[in-house]
């Protein structure tokens, strides 16, 4: 188990959250496979180790972790929600062909919140940004298919 996982578990325990083996596995999966899985993908990955785990268990745990601000739920239209372990603010590049979602960091966009607040009078507390295109693998595939 990585130190980040251990630290996160200690933080949750300090808040009085019970860490069941399933809850720990879900948290560990989210932290160590930073690929923005859906609840279903988490279930698929962990089901063989936990015969009594259901998709509902995964959802309940994700809901709790979301409430505790440990994970973010990313919703994209009609597609299944993806879950992201909350690190620092980051943005997503999404492949229009295979759905791969990659994090990137770009400082300075906090200014947009300030600008938006003064332009609209809103009290802004978050923002998100996605850019869309083709990932390197899909670009290569497209190139060889020609
Ligand atoms: Zn792709
Ligand atoms: Zn992310």
């Amino acid at each position: 188990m990585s130190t980040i996982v251990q630290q996160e578990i200690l933080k949750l325990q300090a808040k009085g959250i019970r860490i069941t083996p399933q809850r720990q596995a879900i948290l560990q999966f989210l932290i160590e496979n930073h690929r923005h899985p859906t609840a279903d993908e988490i279930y698929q990955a962990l089901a063989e180790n936990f015969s009594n785990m259901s998709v509902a268990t995964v959802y309940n745990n994700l809901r709790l972790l979301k409430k505790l601000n440990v994970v973010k739920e990313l919703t994209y239209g009609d597609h299944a929600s993806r879950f992201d372990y909350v690190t620092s603010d980051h943005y997503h590049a999404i492949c229009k062909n295979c759905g791969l979602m990659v994090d990137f960091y770009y400082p300075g966009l906090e200014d947009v919140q300030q600008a938006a607040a003064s332009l609209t009078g809103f009290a802004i507390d978050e923002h998100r940004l996605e850019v869309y295109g083709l990932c390197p693998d899909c670009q290569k595939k497209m190139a060889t298919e020609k």
Side-chain angles (χ1 to χ4, degrees):
M1 206 196 313
S2 71
T3 26
I4 311 174
V5 180
Q6 280 169 349
Q7 282 168 356
E8 200 58 63
I9 286 170
L10 289 175
K11 265 195 261 171
L12 290 173
Q13 283 171 334
K15 288 181 193 162
I17 306 298
R18 207 160 55 91
I19 304 296
T20 62
Q22 299 190 351
R23 185 161 293 159
Q24 180 179 316
I26 292 168
L27 184 65
Q28 191 167 356
F29 186 82
L30 280 160
I31 293 174
E32 290 176 356
N33 304 276
H34 198 219
R35 286 183 319 216
H36 314 89
T38 62
D40 215 47
E41 284 166 358
I42 298 172
Y43 170 72
Q44 303 279 334
L46 300 178
E48 64 179 89
N49 297 328
F50 297 96
S51 51
N52 56 348
M53 187 185 264
S54 66
V55 182
T57 318
V58 176
Y59 267 114
N60 289 338
N61 276 288
L62 288 171
R63 211 169 294 140
L64 175 78
L65 292 172
K66 190 183 151 190
K67 214 170 76 186
L68 294 165
N69 220 16
V70 176
V71 299
K72 263 188 194 159
E73 182 174 4
L74 308 168
T75 47
Y76 296 97
D78 295 339
H79 298 284
S81 291
R82 293 179 167 276
F83 292 88
D84 200 3
Y85 173 64
V86 174
T87 49
S88 47
D89 267 345
H90 65 267
Y91 309 106
H92 293 115
I94 300 169
C95 179
K96 287 199 273 190
N97 188 51
C98 71
L100 177 73
M101 193 188 289
V102 172
D103 291 340
F104 69 95
Y105 298 85
Y106 190 87
L109 289 183
E110 292 78 13
D111 293 353
V112 174
Q113 281 191 202
Q114 292 258 307
S118 60
L119 289 168
T120 63
F122 277 45
I124 312 281
D125 57 13
E126 66 172 339
H127 66 276
R128 48 185 254 192
L129 171 75
E130 293 97 42
V131 295
Y132 296 88
L134 285 178
C135 72
D137 276 354
C138 289
Q139 289 174 52
K140 261 183 243 155
K141 260 182 246 159
M142 304 257 165
T144 51
E145 272 168 22
K146 269 175 203 157

